Amino acid sequence: IPSDQSSGTSSPLCDSGLHLNYHPNNTDTLSCSSWPTSPGLRWEKRWVDLRLIPLLHSRLSQYIPGSDICRKNAFQVIAVDGVCSGVVQFPTAEDCLEWLQAIANNISSLTKHNVKKINRNFPVNQQIIYMGWVDEKEQDSVQDRMYSPKFLALRGSSLFKFSAPPVTTWDWTRAEKSFTVYEIMCKILKDNDLLDKRKHCFSVQTESGEDMFFSVELECELLIWEKAFQMATFLEVERIQCKTYACIMESHLMGLTVDFSMGFVCFDAASKAVLWRYKFSQLKGSSDDGKSKIKFLFQNQDSKSIEAKV
């Protein structure tokens, strides 16, 4: 293409799509009759897009699909509509990581911008705090399918798990599962806690005792998830202030109130008489059987002895 000025270079990540390009090799020749006739003009070679992948809600994968086997210096990008880049191979691990981080940052920026727009339609207590792809470890995994892609979202008081990103208001009602954030526990897995060769993993334990395990591609994505979960929990605790649960102690029906500004209060369900009260600072430990029993260890302020409440 003749041009009278040198075109500036631009990054293939300068917009919301990943461009996979082809460049004619340097041995390509042009016939003499095709050369520009004006003395100030010259030919320039341009990159040609072979495939354009929208990055909003796209996901990255370094792993062979469904497995914990990481490709060497390679990854693929899968768009929300299923269009795939194919496996993109790099000569060095440094090049691969640089591109992974660049694409992940672009996806993150697009997601934040999209969340900001969506949140305009939701009340303050239903704001989206986090949206992103993870890989979930299958509970009853077969040999060729250990992991499946899932889309997690933290919105208001809930954690949602989807098979695809929610686009409409109706989509939010069709989550595979949803959980209340202050009734679940999240744990970032250390190296000795990992279940297989996958790195950057975390677990979520539900109120029923079910453990779910998830994996993300990069350490920075794991940190973003951890920060978002902590923020969602904090905002919900700040909003509700206290929560009362029905329970049984020594064969009597009781009420246990967790007041996030005062502490723990146990009272008789019939008479409302308070049986015991402790501050959060007095809680020295707790344990449960994973089903229905929980044990608290409180320190008596006067005697400094430990008192157990089951």
Side-chain angles (χ1 to χ4, degrees), residues 91-109:
T92 67
E94 290 76 15
D95 290 340
C96 183
L97 181 60
E98 185 177 353
W99 271 93
L100 265 174
Q101 290 176 332
I103 296 173
N105 289 341
N106 199 289
I107 292 173
S108 177
S109 296

Side-chain angles (χ1 to χ4, degrees), residues 282-287 295-299 306-309:
Q282 293 176 263
L283 180 64
K284 299 304 177 183
S286 65
S287 60
K295 180 179 181 180
F296 296 105
L297 298 177
F298 297 104
Q299 186 177 49
I306 299 299
E307 300 174 351
K309 303 295 182 182

Side-chain angles (χ1 to χ4, degrees), residues 34 135 145 171 198 209 222:
S34 66
D135 281 328
R145 197 72 188 175
D171 289 340
R198 289 227 179 191
L222 189 62

Side-chain angles (χ1 to χ4, degrees), residues 91-238:
T92 67
E94 290 76 15
D95 290 340
C96 183
L97 181 60
E98 185 177 353
W99 271 93
L100 265 174
Q101 290 176 332
I103 296 173
N105 289 341
N106 199 289
I107 292 173
S108 177
S109 296
L110 291 167
T111 301
K112 288 178 183 176
H113 181 71
N114 192 48
V115 165
K116 186 179 290 187
K117 291 194 299 182
I118 296 172
N119 277 341
R120 294 172 188 164
N121 302 315
F122 290 138
V124 175
N125 64 342
Q126 289 295 315
Q127 296 282 291
I128 299 170
I129 298 173
Y130 172 90
M131 297 177 81
W133 284 102
V134 298
D135 281 328
E136 181 181 19
K137 186 170 180 61
E138 298 285 356
Q139 299 292 337
D140 302 313
S141 58
V142 292
Q143 189 172 2
D144 61 342
R145 197 72 188 175
M146 296 168 59
Y147 286 87
S148 296
K150 299 295 178 183
F151 194 84
L152 296 186
L154 287 167
R155 177 187 158 203
S157 63
S158 300
L159 166 64
F160 296 89
K161 183 175 75 170
F162 299 94
S163 57
V167 177
T168 66
T169 304
W170 174 245
D171 289 340
W172 287 94
T173 67
R174 298 189 291 173
E176 286 186 4
K177 288 186 177 181
S178 63
F179 311 93
T180 304
V181 292
Y182 59 79
E183 293 181 346
I184 60 179
M185 290 180 59
C186 174
K187 179 183 179 183
I188 305 300
L189 301 185
K190 306 298 182 183
D191 289 346
N192 24 347
D193 297 324
L194 297 174
L195 303 180
D196 47 46
K197 297 177 184 177
R198 289 227 179 191
K199 302 177 181 179
H200 316 313
C201 299
F202 63 93
S203 66
V204 173
Q205 186 179 67
T206 69
E207 68 276 12
S208 64
E210 176 191 5
D211 285 311
M212 301 183 295
F213 296 91
F214 300 98
S215 163
V216 293
E217 294 292 322
L218 298 168
E219 185 178 8
C220 60
E221 294 177 318
L222 189 62
L223 295 174
I224 289 172
W225 157 259
E226 182 179 26
K227 184 178 179 180
F229 186 82
Q230 290 172 349
M231 177 60 70
T233 305
F234 169 76
L235 291 175
E236 188 57 18
V237 166
E238 190 178 55

